mmCIF file of all heavy atoms in Angstrom:
data_model
loop_
_atom_site.group_PDB
_atom_site.id
_atom_site.type_symbol
_atom_site.label_atom_id
_atom_site.label_comp_id
_atom_site.label_asym_id
_atom_site.label_seq_id
_atom_site.Cartn_x
_atom_site.Cartn_y
_atom_site.Cartn_z
ATOM 1 N N MET A 268 29.465 13.476 -2.725
ATOM 2 C CA MET A 268 28.091 13.740 -3.147
ATOM 3 C C MET A 268 27.742 15.210 -2.918
ATOM 4 O O MET A 268 27.114 15.845 -3.777
ATOM 5 C CB MET A 268 27.120 12.839 -2.392
ATOM 6 C CG MET A 268 25.679 12.984 -2.832
ATOM 7 S SD MET A 268 25.364 12.495 -4.535
ATOM 8 C CE MET A 268 25.235 10.731 -4.354
ATOM 9 N N ASN A 269 28.174 15.772 -1.785
ATOM 10 C CA ASN A 269 27.899 17.182 -1.517
ATOM 11 C C ASN A 269 28.614 18.087 -2.522
ATOM 12 O O ASN A 269 28.046 19.078 -2.984
ATOM 13 C CB ASN A 269 28.312 17.557 -0.089
ATOM 14 C CG ASN A 269 27.380 16.950 0.939
ATOM 15 O OD1 ASN A 269 26.233 16.634 0.654
ATOM 16 N ND2 ASN A 269 27.883 16.778 2.156
ATOM 17 N N ASP A 270 29.857 17.754 -2.866
ATOM 18 C CA ASP A 270 30.591 18.527 -3.878
ATOM 19 C C ASP A 270 29.882 18.455 -5.234
ATOM 20 O O ASP A 270 29.777 19.464 -5.937
ATOM 21 C CB ASP A 270 32.026 18.010 -4.029
ATOM 22 C CG ASP A 270 32.898 18.346 -2.835
ATOM 23 O OD1 ASP A 270 32.518 19.254 -2.059
ATOM 24 O OD2 ASP A 270 33.964 17.712 -2.686
ATOM 25 N N LEU A 271 29.417 17.260 -5.583
ATOM 26 C CA LEU A 271 28.704 17.078 -6.845
ATOM 27 C C LEU A 271 27.428 17.929 -6.872
ATOM 28 O O LEU A 271 27.176 18.650 -7.840
ATOM 29 C CB LEU A 271 28.345 15.602 -7.055
ATOM 30 C CG LEU A 271 27.434 15.298 -8.244
ATOM 31 C CD1 LEU A 271 28.144 15.603 -9.551
ATOM 32 C CD2 LEU A 271 26.978 13.856 -8.201
ATOM 33 N N ARG A 272 26.661 17.866 -5.808
ATOM 34 C CA ARG A 272 25.415 18.645 -5.755
ATOM 35 C C ARG A 272 25.695 20.143 -5.830
ATOM 36 O O ARG A 272 24.985 20.881 -6.499
ATOM 37 C CB ARG A 272 24.638 18.325 -4.478
ATOM 38 C CG ARG A 272 23.989 16.967 -4.502
ATOM 39 C CD ARG A 272 23.296 16.716 -3.161
ATOM 40 N NE ARG A 272 22.981 15.335 -2.998
ATOM 41 C CZ ARG A 272 21.748 14.834 -3.010
ATOM 42 N NH1 ARG A 272 20.723 15.630 -3.198
ATOM 43 N NH2 ARG A 272 21.539 13.559 -2.828
ATOM 44 N N ARG A 273 26.748 20.586 -5.157
ATOM 45 C CA ARG A 273 27.116 22.005 -5.179
ATOM 46 C C ARG A 273 27.476 22.434 -6.600
ATOM 47 O O ARG A 273 27.022 23.466 -7.091
ATOM 48 C CB ARG A 273 28.290 22.255 -4.233
ATOM 49 C CG ARG A 273 28.628 23.713 -4.042
ATOM 50 C CD ARG A 273 29.752 23.947 -3.020
ATOM 51 N NE ARG A 273 29.529 23.263 -1.759
ATOM 52 C CZ ARG A 273 30.245 22.203 -1.327
ATOM 53 N NH1 ARG A 273 31.228 21.731 -2.048
ATOM 54 N NH2 ARG A 273 29.985 21.644 -0.173
ATOM 55 N N LYS A 274 28.274 21.623 -7.270
ATOM 56 C CA LYS A 274 28.690 21.937 -8.646
ATOM 57 C C LYS A 274 27.485 21.979 -9.581
ATOM 58 O O LYS A 274 27.375 22.869 -10.432
ATOM 59 C CB LYS A 274 29.700 20.881 -9.117
ATOM 60 C CG LYS A 274 30.211 21.084 -10.503
ATOM 61 C CD LYS A 274 31.105 22.281 -10.569
ATOM 62 C CE LYS A 274 31.742 22.378 -11.934
ATOM 63 N NZ LYS A 274 32.536 23.560 -12.072
ATOM 64 N N LEU A 275 26.579 21.032 -9.432
ATOM 65 C CA LEU A 275 25.393 20.991 -10.282
ATOM 66 C C LEU A 275 24.471 22.171 -9.988
ATOM 67 O O LEU A 275 23.924 22.775 -10.908
ATOM 68 C CB LEU A 275 24.653 19.666 -10.103
ATOM 69 C CG LEU A 275 25.383 18.426 -10.623
ATOM 70 C CD1 LEU A 275 24.630 17.168 -10.249
ATOM 71 C CD2 LEU A 275 25.597 18.503 -12.118
ATOM 72 N N ARG A 276 24.308 22.508 -8.712
ATOM 73 C CA ARG A 276 23.460 23.647 -8.339
ATOM 74 C C ARG A 276 23.991 24.952 -8.938
ATOM 75 O O ARG A 276 23.216 25.810 -9.357
ATOM 76 C CB ARG A 276 23.390 23.772 -6.816
ATOM 77 C CG ARG A 276 22.016 23.620 -6.270
ATOM 78 C CD ARG A 276 21.902 23.936 -4.785
ATOM 79 N NE ARG A 276 23.071 23.702 -3.970
ATOM 80 C CZ ARG A 276 23.330 22.583 -3.277
ATOM 81 N NH1 ARG A 276 22.489 21.583 -3.326
ATOM 82 N NH2 ARG A 276 24.410 22.464 -2.546
ATOM 83 N N GLU A 277 25.312 25.109 -8.986
ATOM 84 C CA GLU A 277 25.924 26.304 -9.579
ATOM 85 C C GLU A 277 25.532 26.456 -11.048
ATOM 86 O O GLU A 277 25.559 27.554 -11.583
ATOM 87 C CB GLU A 277 27.452 26.232 -9.475
ATOM 88 C CG GLU A 277 27.994 26.412 -8.086
ATOM 89 C CD GLU A 277 29.476 26.119 -8.006
ATOM 90 O OE1 GLU A 277 30.110 25.823 -9.051
ATOM 91 O OE2 GLU A 277 30.018 26.180 -6.888
ATOM 92 N N ASN A 278 25.226 25.352 -11.694
ATOM 93 C CA ASN A 278 24.871 25.354 -13.111
ATOM 94 C C ASN A 278 23.372 25.142 -13.342
ATOM 95 O O ASN A 278 22.969 24.712 -14.425
ATOM 96 C CB ASN A 278 25.680 24.275 -13.846
ATOM 97 C CG ASN A 278 27.141 24.631 -13.891
ATOM 98 O OD1 ASN A 278 27.549 25.455 -14.689
ATOM 99 N ND2 ASN A 278 27.953 24.029 -13.015
ATOM 100 N N ASP A 279 22.561 25.399 -12.316
ATOM 101 C CA ASP A 279 21.094 25.282 -12.396
ATOM 102 C C ASP A 279 20.637 23.889 -12.801
ATOM 103 O O ASP A 279 19.732 23.723 -13.617
ATOM 104 C CB ASP A 279 20.517 26.326 -13.358
ATOM 105 C CG ASP A 279 20.772 27.743 -12.881
ATOM 106 O OD1 ASP A 279 20.728 27.947 -11.650
ATOM 107 O OD2 ASP A 279 21.022 28.620 -13.723
ATOM 108 N N ILE A 280 21.296 22.894 -12.226
ATOM 109 C CA ILE A 280 20.933 21.495 -12.468
ATOM 110 C C ILE A 280 20.550 20.898 -11.117
ATOM 111 O O ILE A 280 21.261 21.077 -10.135
ATOM 112 C CB ILE A 280 22.107 20.713 -13.087
ATOM 113 C CG1 ILE A 280 22.516 21.365 -14.409
ATOM 114 C CG2 ILE A 280 21.741 19.255 -13.283
ATOM 115 C CD1 ILE A 280 23.863 20.905 -14.913
ATOM 116 N N GLU A 281 19.434 20.201 -11.080
ATOM 117 C CA GLU A 281 18.950 19.607 -9.846
ATOM 118 C C GLU A 281 19.324 18.124 -9.828
ATOM 119 O O GLU A 281 19.150 17.424 -10.821
ATOM 120 C CB GLU A 281 17.439 19.779 -9.779
ATOM 121 C CG GLU A 281 16.850 19.515 -8.444
ATOM 122 C CD GLU A 281 15.375 19.906 -8.400
ATOM 123 O OE1 GLU A 281 14.837 20.392 -9.400
ATOM 124 O OE2 GLU A 281 14.769 19.691 -7.353
ATOM 125 N N TYR A 282 19.846 17.646 -8.699
ATOM 126 C CA TYR A 282 20.266 16.247 -8.591
ATOM 127 C C TYR A 282 19.538 15.607 -7.420
ATOM 128 O O TYR A 282 19.593 16.103 -6.291
ATOM 129 C CB TYR A 282 21.779 16.170 -8.382
ATOM 130 C CG TYR A 282 22.327 14.771 -8.442
ATOM 131 C CD1 TYR A 282 22.557 14.148 -9.654
ATOM 132 C CD2 TYR A 282 22.606 14.058 -7.281
ATOM 133 C CE1 TYR A 282 23.063 12.857 -9.719
ATOM 134 C CE2 TYR A 282 23.115 12.770 -7.338
ATOM 135 C CZ TYR A 282 23.336 12.175 -8.550
ATOM 136 O OH TYR A 282 23.831 10.901 -8.620
ATOM 137 N N LEU A 283 18.862 14.501 -7.684
ATOM 138 C CA LEU A 283 18.132 13.790 -6.646
ATOM 139 C C LEU A 283 18.495 12.311 -6.652
ATOM 140 O O LEU A 283 18.600 11.702 -7.718
ATOM 141 C CB LEU A 283 16.619 13.887 -6.882
ATOM 142 C CG LEU A 283 15.953 15.240 -6.747
ATOM 143 C CD1 LEU A 283 14.477 15.123 -7.122
ATOM 144 C CD2 LEU A 283 16.077 15.755 -5.336
ATOM 145 N N VAL A 284 18.659 11.766 -5.463
ATOM 146 C CA VAL A 284 18.790 10.318 -5.320
ATOM 147 C C VAL A 284 17.373 9.790 -5.215
ATOM 148 O O VAL A 284 16.579 10.286 -4.417
ATOM 149 C CB VAL A 284 19.619 9.967 -4.068
ATOM 150 C CG1 VAL A 284 19.584 8.471 -3.803
ATOM 151 C CG2 VAL A 284 21.051 10.451 -4.236
ATOM 152 N N VAL A 285 17.042 8.814 -6.056
ATOM 153 C CA VAL A 285 15.660 8.331 -6.133
ATOM 154 C C VAL A 285 15.606 6.813 -6.027
ATOM 155 O O VAL A 285 16.575 6.121 -6.325
ATOM 156 C CB VAL A 285 14.987 8.775 -7.457
ATOM 157 C CG1 VAL A 285 14.885 10.276 -7.538
ATOM 158 C CG2 VAL A 285 15.727 8.231 -8.659
ATOM 159 N N LYS A 286 14.456 6.340 -5.634
ATOM 160 C CA LYS A 286 14.201 4.900 -5.660
ATOM 161 C C LYS A 286 13.740 4.549 -7.066
ATOM 162 O O LYS A 286 12.906 5.238 -7.655
ATOM 163 C CB LYS A 286 13.122 4.523 -4.644
ATOM 164 C CG LYS A 286 13.580 4.662 -3.226
ATOM 165 C CD LYS A 286 12.567 4.072 -2.286
ATOM 166 C CE LYS A 286 13.143 4.116 -0.890
ATOM 167 N NZ LYS A 286 12.528 3.144 -0.009
ATOM 168 N N ASN A 287 14.292 3.486 -7.599
ATOM 169 C CA ASN A 287 14.006 3.108 -8.986
ATOM 170 C C ASN A 287 12.521 2.859 -9.235
ATOM 171 O O ASN A 287 11.991 3.237 -10.281
ATOM 172 C CB ASN A 287 14.822 1.880 -9.372
ATOM 173 C CG ASN A 287 16.307 2.173 -9.404
ATOM 174 O OD1 ASN A 287 16.733 3.314 -9.271
ATOM 175 N ND2 ASN A 287 17.105 1.139 -9.565
ATOM 176 N N ASN A 288 11.837 2.212 -8.295
ATOM 177 C CA ASN A 288 10.405 1.931 -8.480
ATOM 178 C C ASN A 288 9.595 3.216 -8.532
ATOM 179 O O ASN A 288 8.689 3.352 -9.355
ATOM 180 C CB ASN A 288 9.881 1.020 -7.369
ATOM 181 C CG ASN A 288 10.401 -0.392 -7.499
ATOM 182 O OD1 ASN A 288 10.792 -0.810 -8.586
ATOM 183 N ND2 ASN A 288 10.416 -1.122 -6.398
ATOM 184 N N LEU A 289 9.911 4.157 -7.649
ATOM 185 C CA LEU A 289 9.175 5.420 -7.633
ATOM 186 C C LEU A 289 9.467 6.214 -8.908
ATOM 187 O O LEU A 289 8.570 6.838 -9.480
ATOM 188 C CB LEU A 289 9.541 6.246 -6.396
ATOM 189 C CG LEU A 289 9.192 5.624 -5.041
ATOM 190 C CD1 LEU A 289 9.594 6.563 -3.910
ATOM 191 C CD2 LEU A 289 7.727 5.277 -4.961
ATOM 192 N N LEU A 290 10.715 6.172 -9.366
ATOM 193 C CA LEU A 290 11.074 6.856 -10.605
ATOM 194 C C LEU A 290 10.335 6.235 -11.789
ATOM 195 O O LEU A 290 9.854 6.942 -12.668
ATOM 196 C CB LEU A 290 12.581 6.801 -10.837
ATOM 197 C CG LEU A 290 13.075 7.459 -12.120
ATOM 198 C CD1 LEU A 290 12.808 8.962 -12.096
ATOM 199 C CD2 LEU A 290 14.555 7.200 -12.320
ATOM 200 N N ALA A 291 10.228 4.919 -11.800
ATOM 201 C CA ALA A 291 9.528 4.241 -12.899
ATOM 202 C C ALA A 291 8.060 4.645 -12.936
ATOM 203 O O ALA A 291 7.509 4.906 -14.017
ATOM 204 C CB ALA A 291 9.653 2.729 -12.742
ATOM 205 N N ILE A 292 7.428 4.745 -11.784
ATOM 206 C CA ILE A 292 6.015 5.152 -11.730
ATOM 207 C C ILE A 292 5.877 6.598 -12.198
ATOM 208 O O ILE A 292 5.001 6.921 -13.013
ATOM 209 C CB ILE A 292 5.457 4.983 -10.297
ATOM 210 C CG1 ILE A 292 5.420 3.495 -9.926
ATOM 211 C CG2 ILE A 292 4.073 5.607 -10.177
ATOM 212 C CD1 ILE A 292 5.172 3.230 -8.457
ATOM 213 N N ALA A 293 6.762 7.477 -11.724
ATOM 214 C CA ALA A 293 6.701 8.888 -12.106
ATOM 215 C C ALA A 293 6.980 9.060 -13.595
ATOM 216 O O ALA A 293 6.321 9.868 -14.272
ATOM 217 C CB ALA A 293 7.707 9.694 -11.284
ATOM 218 N N ALA A 294 7.929 8.316 -14.123
ATOM 219 C CA ALA A 294 8.252 8.402 -15.558
ATOM 220 C C ALA A 294 7.076 7.933 -16.397
ATOM 221 O O ALA A 294 6.758 8.533 -17.431
ATOM 222 C CB ALA A 294 9.493 7.572 -15.870
ATOM 223 N N GLU A 295 6.427 6.891 -15.966
ATOM 224 C CA GLU A 295 5.243 6.383 -16.673
ATOM 225 C C GLU A 295 4.129 7.429 -16.665
ATOM 226 O O GLU A 295 3.516 7.701 -17.699
ATOM 227 C CB GLU A 295 4.759 5.093 -15.998
ATOM 228 C CG GLU A 295 3.726 4.337 -16.769
ATOM 229 C CD GLU A 295 4.303 3.605 -17.954
ATOM 230 O OE1 GLU A 295 5.436 3.120 -17.868
ATOM 231 O OE2 GLU A 295 3.595 3.527 -18.974
ATOM 232 N N ASN A 296 3.899 8.052 -15.512
ATOM 233 C CA ASN A 296 2.859 9.070 -15.399
ATOM 234 C C ASN A 296 3.182 10.323 -16.219
ATOM 235 O O ASN A 296 2.284 10.982 -16.715
ATOM 236 C CB ASN A 296 2.639 9.466 -13.940
ATOM 237 C CG ASN A 296 2.041 8.344 -13.115
ATOM 238 O OD1 ASN A 296 1.524 7.371 -13.655
ATOM 239 N ND2 ASN A 296 2.133 8.469 -11.806
ATOM 240 N N ALA A 297 4.486 10.639 -16.348
ATOM 241 C CA ALA A 297 4.908 11.839 -17.082
ATOM 242 C C ALA A 297 5.052 11.569 -18.577
ATOM 243 O O ALA A 297 5.397 12.466 -19.336
ATOM 244 C CB ALA A 297 6.226 12.359 -16.514
ATOM 245 N N GLY A 298 4.826 10.325 -18.991
ATOM 246 C CA GLY A 298 4.942 9.983 -20.411
ATOM 247 C C GLY A 298 6.372 9.782 -20.861
ATOM 248 O O GLY A 298 6.689 9.912 -22.035
ATOM 249 N N LYS A 299 7.254 9.470 -19.924
ATOM 250 C CA LYS A 299 8.668 9.256 -20.242
ATOM 251 C C LYS A 299 9.105 7.882 -19.751
ATOM 252 O O LYS A 299 10.119 7.726 -19.083
ATOM 253 C CB LYS A 299 9.519 10.351 -19.596
ATOM 254 C CG LYS A 299 9.167 11.725 -20.133
ATOM 255 C CD LYS A 299 10.054 12.800 -19.576
ATOM 256 C CE LYS A 299 9.686 14.136 -20.196
ATOM 257 N NZ LYS A 299 10.579 15.210 -19.798
ATOM 258 N N SER A 300 8.336 6.882 -20.116
ATOM 259 C CA SER A 300 8.582 5.529 -19.623
ATOM 260 C C SER A 300 9.910 4.964 -20.115
ATOM 261 O O SER A 300 10.434 4.019 -19.538
ATOM 262 C CB SER A 300 7.433 4.599 -20.013
ATOM 263 O OG SER A 300 7.285 4.580 -21.419
ATOM 264 N N GLY A 301 10.483 5.538 -21.174
ATOM 265 C CA GLY A 301 11.764 5.062 -21.683
ATOM 266 C C GLY A 301 12.902 5.251 -20.704
ATOM 267 O O GLY A 301 13.946 4.615 -20.818
#
Side-chain angles (χ1 to χ4, degrees):
M268 184 64 81
N269 289 336
D270 289 342
L271 172 66
R272 287 177 196 249
R273 188 176 309 110
K274 180 70 173 176
L275 292 173
R276 242 188 331 266
E277 289 171 3
N278 292 282
D279 297 324
I280 301 165
E281 194 172 359
Y282 188 80
L283 293 176
V284 172
V285 297
K286 290 189 174 203
N287 294 353
N288 289 337
L289 297 181
L290 179 64
I292 294 168
E295 191 75 35
N296 292 344
K299 298 184 178 185
S300 59

